[in-house]
Amino acid sequence: DGKKVEKTISGPCSYILGPQEHVKCLYLSAGKPKRPYQICASIIKKGPDFVSDKFEIRTKDNAHLELLLTYKWEFLVEKSDAYKMFSVDFIGYSCSTMCSKIREGAA
């Protein structure tokens, strides 16, 4: 029928792919500091889990700091909104957001 319909399956469960179906791959950031397109993931766990990142900041008094930040995250999504987990590199986005907020506070 030509329509491309994406399914998000919450598990644990078994699912047999049809002849025209395939598994979607989400490319995620990884490493310290984070670099994009390092992980190809087809399974996303809702958490809780930890993410860590390493970045440099400069303070108001011109001190140069290298920080290693680790924080805990968890997806709180309804079953109808589960597809949103596969729409963006959530690791890269969350790490760059936290880095920006810390740099803003230090400047």
Side-chain angles (χ1 to χ4, degrees):
D1 87 344
K3 288 185 178 179
K4 291 186 177 183
V5 179
E6 291 186 5
K7 295 179 187 176
T8 305
I9 301 169
S10 297
C13 69
S14 296
Y15 181 80
I16 298 174
L17 293 174
Q20 302 301 320
E21 292 181 313
H22 66 278
V23 177
K24 180 179 180 178
C25 181
L26 176 64
Y27 288 96
L28 300 173
S29 298
K32 295 176 197 167
K34 293 289 180 253
R35 292 186 323 267
Y37 304 106
Q38 298 298 306
I39 298 173
C40 178
S42 59
I43 297 174
I44 303 293
K45 295 185 179 181
K46 293 182 182 178
D49 204 352
F50 294 90
V51 173
S52 59
D53 195 14
K54 184 175 167 180
F55 53 91
E56 297 176 358
I57 64 169
R58 191 172 299 273
T59 62
K60 292 177 192 175
D61 58 352
N62 216 21
H64 185 77
L65 302 173
E66 186 174 283
L67 300 178
L68 178 62
L69 176 70
T70 302
Y71 55 96
K72 188 176 183 178
W73 64 269
E74 181 175 6
F75 279 117
L76 302 174
V77 294
E78 298 294 325
K79 213 171 195 180
S80 61
D81 292 333
Y83 70 94
K84 292 179 181 178
M85 294 188 303
F86 282 92
S87 63
V88 68
D89 175 7
F90 62 91
I91 293 176
Y93 179 76
S94 61
C95 287
S96 65
T97 302
M98 290 298 287
C99 179
S100 295
K101 290 184 181 287
I102 291 171
R103 283 185 174 143
E104 180 182 323

